[in-house]
């Protein structure tokens, strides 16, 4: 038991007992810890919609590649619990790797389909197999009515929605808009890896999105929107290495000629890989 009645559990049995005491609607927010204001916004959104809120804190090894930052990923449980307490979470599930995968790495994993091999999946092979596998496991263990995910990880949000729809998982998946610093940088646990100079360079991602959105607002077509975004990304950012910058429809299918669309960007800034995205609406002048 933590402060203000918030319950912290580490095992499946403890979670089952605590979950059984929650009546009414239950919302879940799944995290890998190192909680920041963006996570707190998710928690507040869950608090507004659900009678009870469960938070999961688990650094999932299945979604890290051999050269990625699993070992150095920040673990800040005490600070995370304070964020959860402040936001009104009722129950925090912080399992060990052995508790989540008691038989070792699972032989059966969720296949995300073709979209899971594109964008983030193309740069990080197997990433979404690991993400969807742990999300499905956590949905089974927490049994929520609603699950809240940030739009910053837009491909993840889209794939979780598809998984729940295609596999008949009885949960409403709720997307929550990206939280940004005053200068436009999207909040991310990985921002702490950036040096002061890299922190400035990282603004190239949000600058590209803003330029693309402004071009769309001005009635430019899809090609011009992408051109404006690429030009803005490259301006004054010689140390940023672009991975992708694409325009798609809201479901991440090939970009529309008109109507709602999504602009997505990923780039390396020093040794840190960052992602961001923004909604745009295409209404090109005839």
């Amino acid at each position: 038991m933590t402060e203000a009645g918030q319950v912290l559990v580490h095992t499946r049995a403890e979670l089952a007992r605590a979950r059984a005491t929650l009546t009414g609607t239950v919302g879940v927010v799944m995290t890998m810890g190192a909680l920041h204001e963006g996570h707190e916004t998710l928690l507040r959104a869950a608090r507004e919609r659900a009678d009870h809120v469960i938070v999961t804190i688990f650094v999932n090894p299945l979604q890290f590649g051999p050269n990625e930052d699993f070992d150095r990923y920040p673990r800040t449980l005490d600070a995370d619990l304070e964020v959860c307490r402040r936001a009104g979470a009722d129950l925090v599930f912080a399992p060990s790797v052995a508790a989540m995968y008691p038989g070792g790495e699972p032989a059966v994993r969720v296949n995300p389909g073709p979209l899971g091999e594109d964008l983030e999946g193309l740069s990080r092979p197997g990433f979404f197999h690991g993400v969807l596998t742990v999300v499905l496991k956590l949905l089974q263990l927490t049994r929520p009515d609603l699950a809240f995910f940030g739009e910053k990880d837009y491909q993840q949000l889209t794939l979780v929605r598809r998984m729940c729809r295609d596999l008949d998982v009885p949960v409403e998946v709720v997307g929550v808009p990206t939280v940004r610093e005053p200068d436009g940088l999207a909040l991310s646990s990985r921002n702490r890896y950036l040096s002061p100079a890299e922190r400035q360079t990282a603004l190239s991602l949000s600058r590209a999105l803003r330029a693309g959105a402004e071009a769309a607002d001005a009635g430019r077509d899809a090609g011009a929107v992408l051109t404006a975004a690429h030009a803005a990304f490259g301006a004054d950012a010689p140390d940023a290495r672009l991975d992708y910058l694409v325009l798609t429809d809201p479901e991440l299918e090939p970009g529309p000629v008109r109507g709602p669309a999504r602009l997505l960007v990923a780039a390396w800034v020093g040794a840190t890989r960052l992602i961001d995205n923004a909604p745009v609406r295409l209404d090109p002048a005839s």
Side-chain angles (χ1 to χ4, degrees):
M1 182 78 71
T2 61
E3 293 182 37
Q6 177 179 277
V7 177
L8 170 64
V9 298
H10 298 285
T11 71
R12 292 164 177 252
E14 291 171 337
L15 173 63
R17 286 194 294 270
R19 174 64 180 85
T21 68
L22 303 181
T23 58
T25 56
V26 173
V28 68
V29 175
M30 299 179 189
T31 82
M32 294 207 301
L35 304 187
H36 49 64
E37 187 181 342
H39 296 105
E40 194 163 353
T41 298
L42 288 173
L43 290 169
R44 288 196 299 266
R47 182 80 273 172
E48 291 174 2
R49 294 269 324 261
D51 296 318
H52 298 284
V53 177
I54 301 174
V55 181
T56 69
I57 298 175
F58 178 63
V59 183
N60 178 32
L62 299 190
Q63 64 196 69
F64 287 82
N67 299 315
E68 294 185 329
D69 55 359
F70 176 76
D71 289 332
R72 72 181 186 122
Y73 196 89
R75 274 81 165 173
T76 58
L77 182 59
D78 289 343
D80 295 342
L81 291 174
E82 172 57 25
V83 173
C84 293
R85 185 201 63 78
R86 191 165 63 235
D90 300 281
L91 174 60
V92 178
F93 179 46
S96 65
V97 172
M100 279 303 297
Y101 304 117
E105 290 196 1
V108 177
R109 305 190 187 190
V110 178
N111 187 328
L115 177 58
E117 312 304 331
D118 197 9
L119 301 174
E120 290 299 289
L122 186 62
S123 299
R124 307 173 69 185
F127 173 68
F128 285 116
H129 295 73
V131 170
L132 294 186
T133 298
V134 78
V135 167
L136 183 58
K137 285 170 70 71
L138 289 169
L139 289 174
Q140 300 279 24
L141 291 168
T142 59
R143 296 181 289 111
D145 301 286
L146 306 108
F148 296 80
F149 292 87
E151 290 186 356
K152 189 184 81 67
D153 297 297
Y154 191 78
Q155 189 176 8
Q156 171 182 276
L157 169 63
T158 301
L159 284 168
V160 169
R161 281 178 169 152
R162 288 190 182 186
M163 176 185 73
C164 291
R165 179 193 67 204
D166 290 352
L167 300 184
D168 297 313
V169 181
V171 63
E172 179 185 347
V173 179
V174 182
V176 178
T178 302
V179 178
R180 299 184 180 277
E181 300 279 7
D183 59 10
L185 183 68
L187 290 183
S188 169
S189 301
R190 288 191 166 93
N191 289 351
R192 68 185 65 198
Y193 300 150
L194 301 171
S195 70
E198 289 170 343
R199 172 70 174 66
Q200 287 301 116
T201 298
L203 295 177
S204 59
L205 280 78
S206 56
R207 184 170 60 236
L209 297 177
R210 190 164 54 250
E214 289 172 354
D217 290 343
R220 310 293 295 278
D221 62 20
V225 167
L226 268 178
T227 297
H230 276 277
F233 178 88
D236 302 320
D239 298 325
R241 179 164 56 90
L242 186 65
D243 186 348
Y244 60 77
L245 177 52
V246 299
L247 184 67
T248 73
D249 82 354
E251 297 297 315
L252 299 181
E253 299 296 342
V257 175
R258 290 184 177 274
R262 206 84 190 184
L263 196 57
L264 302 101
V265 61
W268 290 92
V269 178
T272 304
R273 189 173 180 278
L274 300 174
I275 62 173
D276 203 350
N277 70 89
V280 299
R281 183 170 187 86
L282 298 173
D283 190 16
S286 300

